[in-house]
């Protein structure tokens, strides 16, 4: 019986692991790699920090990490244009999303922050990740980021 694994990036060893390789996988995992490299370059260290797994703060950082990876994936293949953010009741509702919806939400949060300024946008996201309190109004977080990057 075959064991199927999800492609993943390990920041502690700077390795990407793939199973059934596709161009989307390469682009997506390259986004994780890029975000980790920028984090290390600006002194934050490995991104994400797996010591935080299980915390609400980690979930919000995971949201932007997966959103950034999805941004790289979509910028390379031209799929799924940006859509305006929907309203969530808070972090618990976001945490209840299936993986596909979670990644797409992350993409919709980071797209206008990254578009046209990827490096600066990634630096901003790394230094100012959304907090659990931002979960109920991700649009406000996004608008603040865009304003501060102008």
């Amino acid at each position: 019986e075959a064991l199927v694994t999800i492609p993943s990036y390990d920041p502690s060893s700077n390795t990407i692991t793939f199973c059934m390789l596709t161009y989307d996988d390469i682009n997506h995992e390259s986004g994780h790699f890029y975000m980790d490299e920028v984090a290390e370059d600006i002194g934050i260290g490995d991104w994400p920090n797996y010591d935080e797994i299980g915390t609400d703060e980690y979930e919000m950082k995971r949201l932007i990490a997966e959103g950034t990876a999805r941004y790289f994936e979509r910028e390379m293949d031209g799929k799924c244009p940006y859509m305006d953010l929907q309203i969530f009741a808070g972090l618990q509702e976001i945490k209840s999303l299936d993986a596909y919806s979670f990644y797409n939400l992350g993409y919709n949060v980071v797209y206008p922050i990254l578009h046209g300024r990827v490096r600066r946008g990634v630096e901003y996201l790394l230094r100012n990740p959304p907090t659990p309190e931002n979960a109920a109004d991700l649009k406000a977080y996004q608008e603040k980021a865009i304003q501060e990057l102008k």
Side-chain angles (χ1 to χ4, degrees), residues 4 6-7 16 34-35 37 44 57 63 77 79 81 89 93 111 114 116 118:
V4 178
I6 297 172
I16 301 172
Y34 181 77
M35 196 168 207
E37 289 297 302
I44 291 175
E57 290 76 13
L63 181 70
D77 68 16
K79 291 181 186 172
E93 185 179 359
Y111 177 86
L114 299 178
V118 174

Side-chain angles (χ1 to χ4, degrees), residues 56-102:
D56 290 345
E57 290 76 13
Y58 177 81
E59 287 303 307
M60 296 306 290
K61 290 176 182 178
R62 188 170 78 88
L63 181 70
I64 61 167
E66 295 302 343
T68 300
R70 181 60 57 101
Y71 178 86
F72 273 67
E73 179 184 331
R74 290 184 176 169
E75 283 298 297
M76 298 306 278
D77 68 16
K79 291 181 186 172
C80 302
Y82 164 74
M83 296 171 60
D84 205 17
L85 288 172
Q86 62 189 54
I87 303 297
F88 287 91
L91 183 59
Q92 294 311 311
E93 185 179 359
I94 291 171
K95 287 167 73 172
S96 72
L97 294 172
D98 61 77
Y100 182 80
S101 298
F102 186 85

